[in-house]
Amino acid sequence: MAATSWFFEPGHTGAQFTARHMMVTYVRGQIKNIRGSIEVDPDEPEKARIEATLDATGVYTGEPNRDAHLRSADFFDVDHHPTWTFTGTRVTQVSATEFDVTGELTIRGTTRPVTLAVTYLGQWDTPWWENGQNLGPRRRAGFVAATRINRHDFGVSWNDVVDRGGVVVSDMIDVTVDVEAVLESTGSTS
């Protein structure tokens, strides 16, 4: 089978991050409007190429003041670094549906290697709507990827101290990305 090209469907692709807050709970945020692509030969998944761009200006936690603070120079500095990028450079197949994807993650202009634990969720032929008309079917595939990063590695270092030496924001951040990818071509998908 030949290599296939897929694009991320931005309306159904998103990232969630989780940070420990005030030593007692977790705060979750999300970023939508993720653009990306996957080039993969199903017979050689270890040669896949993955690229993604996240729009950090749209960070959302449900609290407008916190969202504004996250967009500021204290955290994501979106005025100078409005996007984050990930380029997958190595894929290791762990099982029939699990892969480790190692690549370069760039946040705030700082690039570091990270490994995503990726689970392949399967494929399905679905409707494809454009201008009120179903032009389908189009093949879609689903993935969920997870990693843990140290935010200081990317220059996201604002913090404050609370009682007994605690901190407002944890160093370690859990990141989960849900991807719905659509096959570029309309040729055979089997």
XYZ file of all heavy atoms in Angstrom, residues 6 12 32 42 45 63 67 88 95 118-119 122 126 141 148 157 159 177 179:
143
model
N -2.969 12.766 5.285
C -4.135 13.108 6.093
C -3.966 14.533 6.604
O -2.848 14.976 6.842
C -4.238 12.171 7.296
C -4.310 10.716 6.947
C -3.289 9.910 6.522
C -5.465 9.887 7.008
N -3.734 8.636 6.328
C -5.079 8.583 6.615
C -6.796 10.112 7.373
C -5.959 7.518 6.566
C -7.673 9.047 7.327
C -7.265 7.771 6.925
N -12.637 19.275 15.038
C -12.717 18.084 15.882
C -11.353 17.648 16.391
O -11.148 16.493 16.737
C -13.395 16.944 15.110
C -14.793 17.263 14.756
N -15.152 17.770 13.522
C -15.923 17.193 15.488
C -16.458 17.985 13.499
N -16.955 17.646 14.683
N -8.004 25.020 20.816
C -8.610 24.503 19.587
C -7.843 25.100 18.412
O -6.802 25.692 18.592
C -10.096 24.884 19.535
C -10.933 24.227 20.630
C -11.014 22.731 20.492
C -11.936 22.313 19.365
N -12.042 20.872 19.194
N 0.833 2.680 5.664
C 0.345 1.725 6.658
C 1.248 0.503 6.842
O 1.256 -0.104 7.909
C -1.025 1.311 6.112
C -1.440 2.443 5.240
C -0.170 2.985 4.645
N 4.591 2.189 9.357
C 4.183 3.324 10.192
C 5.350 4.021 10.886
O 5.251 5.199 11.224
C 3.219 2.711 11.201
C 3.544 1.252 11.211
C 4.042 0.928 9.834
N -12.020 30.811 32.692
C -11.889 31.979 33.562
C -11.166 33.072 32.777
O -9.956 32.971 32.535
C -11.117 31.597 34.822
C -10.630 32.738 35.669
C -11.682 33.785 35.990
O -12.789 33.417 36.432
O -11.392 34.978 35.776
N -7.235 33.283 31.629
C -6.896 33.143 30.213
C -6.014 34.303 29.752
O -5.035 34.105 29.034
C -8.159 33.064 29.356
C -8.971 31.809 29.639
O -8.456 30.890 30.322
O -10.122 31.753 29.180
N 6.923 15.537 14.329
C 7.301 14.181 14.682
C 8.449 13.710 13.815
O 8.402 13.826 12.585
N 2.350 -1.437 19.976
C 1.384 -2.522 19.798
C 0.608 -2.225 18.527
O 0.922 -1.279 17.799
C 0.444 -2.608 21.004
O -0.492 -1.539 20.983
N 0.874 7.701 21.653
C -0.250 7.864 20.737
C -1.047 6.560 20.650
O -0.466 5.487 20.465
C 0.233 8.272 19.327
C -0.933 8.378 18.354
C 1.008 9.582 19.395
N -2.347 6.689 20.783
C -3.247 5.563 20.579
C -4.053 5.808 19.317
O -4.675 6.862 19.165
C -4.202 5.382 21.774
O -3.427 5.181 22.955
C -5.122 4.185 21.572
N -8.821 4.116 15.230
C -9.500 3.474 14.108
C -9.890 4.457 13.020
O -9.616 5.656 13.112
N -17.185 8.541 6.466
C -18.182 9.439 7.053
C -18.683 10.438 6.015
O -18.050 10.651 4.979
C -17.550 10.240 8.215
O -16.539 11.101 7.679
C -16.963 9.321 9.269
N -9.762 9.181 10.513
C -9.042 8.358 11.482
C -8.912 9.160 12.774
O -8.825 10.391 12.757
C -7.650 7.985 10.953
N 3.872 14.427 29.100
C 4.071 15.296 30.272
C 5.328 16.110 30.010
O 6.360 15.553 29.624
C 4.224 14.466 31.537
C 4.579 15.309 32.761
C 4.589 14.477 33.990
N 3.198 14.436 34.462
C 2.832 13.972 35.636
N 3.721 13.468 36.463
N 1.565 13.986 35.986
N 7.791 30.131 33.096
C 8.326 29.975 34.451
C 7.685 30.843 35.522
O 8.124 30.816 36.674
C 9.840 30.227 34.428
O 10.480 29.272 33.614
N 5.609 31.991 38.578
C 5.020 31.284 39.711
C 4.958 32.232 40.895
O 5.518 33.333 40.863
C 5.829 30.032 40.080
C 4.919 28.870 40.417
O 3.765 29.066 40.794
N 5.424 27.662 40.265
N -3.797 15.430 23.365
C -4.259 15.962 22.081
C -5.163 14.922 21.432
O -4.768 13.760 21.271
C -3.076 16.292 21.146
C -3.584 16.900 19.839
C -2.086 17.218 21.828
N -7.004 14.010 17.972
C -6.875 14.337 16.550
C -7.907 13.551 15.757
O -8.010 12.328 15.900
C -5.462 13.999 16.017
C -5.391 14.185 14.505
C -4.416 14.842 16.710
